[in-house]
Amino acid sequence: MTDDLGPIQPTRRTGTEPLHLHGTEHGRVLDFWAWAYSGLVGNTLRGALAEYIVALALGAAHGPRVDWDPVDLRLPDGTGVEVKSAAYLQEWMQTRLSSISYSIAPAEGWDPLTSTIDPERRRRADVYVFCLLHHRDKPSLDPLDLSQWTFHVLPTRVLDERAPTQRTITLSSLLALNPVRTGFDGLRAAVSTAAGTEPATPAHLTPPA
């Protein structure tokens, strides 16, 4: 028993760590990952995959994902990035393509170091990255193919000015805010420009789906 009940910092694992009982191995973490996290098209895991893709593009994928952080990604320069994902295709039987919308609701903040809640409802990231798995053919859908993704990047201040209390936003309403649309290769420049950390430069644009 310990008196230290502070936050547990996740450690990046390799997948080789064993599940064990009295010195006997009963599978490994990699087996658990394959069992639990192979469904990358589903809404929950697609969101985590989108965060990882954005982290890769931004050079911020070195550490493990922190579930309880008030923003999805923190860059070395302090920029907070919120990542949202959507897709036309779902795991289940569909009669039509899904409509695209994203959550942008201002929310209370939680400080894991003090276990206290900041009651002010606001958007806490500096930049939003709206990820769209734009592919529309189920037999060839591959969320690991980065060419099947489009990214729309927007400074949070634009959302705060144009949609201060709005909880969700459709793709058409998002496009009306003039985000930078880019492929994977242009994400770093687009986020840097949106955060104001480098001069505006054209991002590598991905053709519309």
Side-chain angles (χ1 to χ4, degrees):
M1 186 72 177
T2 177
D3 293 330
D4 183 4
L5 297 178
I8 298 174
Q9 298 294 333
T11 300
R12 187 178 178 111
R13 298 185 182 273
T14 66
T16 62
E17 298 86 352
L19 284 75
H20 52 90
L21 177 66
H22 306 313
T24 300
E25 181 177 320
H26 293 272
R28 297 197 173 195
V29 170
L30 182 61
D31 302 317
F32 162 64
W33 289 340
W35 175 81
Y37 300 116
S38 291
L40 299 179
V41 178
N43 287 333
T44 299
L45 292 187
R46 188 189 64 242
L49 176 62
E51 289 181 29
Y52 179 64
I53 290 171
V54 174
L56 280 176
L58 303 183
H62 305 298
R65 182 172 182 259
V66 180
D67 285 333
W68 36 256
D69 203 312
V71 297
D72 291 326
L73 300 174
R74 290 190 184 276
L75 305 188
D77 63 8
T79 299
V81 179
E82 191 73 13
V83 180
K84 301 296 182 181
S85 81
Y88 291 110
L89 300 176
Q90 308 297 335
E91 286 182 318
W92 55 84
M93 171 65 186
Q94 294 174 261
T95 57
R96 58 180 176 81
L97 298 176
S98 293
S99 300
I100 302 302
S101 66
Y102 301 93
S103 171
I104 56 169
E108 296 176 340
W110 181 64
D111 185 344
L113 298 179
T114 62
S115 193
T116 57
I117 294 176
D118 177 358
E120 182 185 2
R121 304 186 73 84
R122 61 185 178 90
R123 300 179 179 111
R124 298 172 188 278
D126 301 294
V127 177
Y128 272 66
V129 178
F130 298 94
C131 309
L132 175 60
L133 185 57
H134 63 248
H135 198 70
R136 303 189 189 201
D137 176 61
K138 275 197 170 180
S140 59
L141 178 65
D142 179 7
L144 301 180
D145 180 353
L146 299 180
S147 71
Q148 294 188 9
W149 290 86
T150 300
F151 307 91
H152 296 91
V153 181
L154 196 68
T156 303
R157 58 177 173 76
V158 176
L159 290 175
D160 290 341
E161 292 166 1
R162 302 281 295 277
T165 61
Q166 196 166 314
R167 300 184 61 83
T168 61
I169 191 168
T170 63
L171 180 59
S172 58
S173 295
L174 173 62
L175 295 178
L177 300 180
N178 296 316
V180 172
R181 186 182 68 196
T182 180
F184 177 80
D185 290 343
L187 260 176
R188 183 179 292 218
V191 169
S192 295
T193 297
T197 55
E198 72 174 26
T201 55
H204 174 72
L205 294 182
T206 295

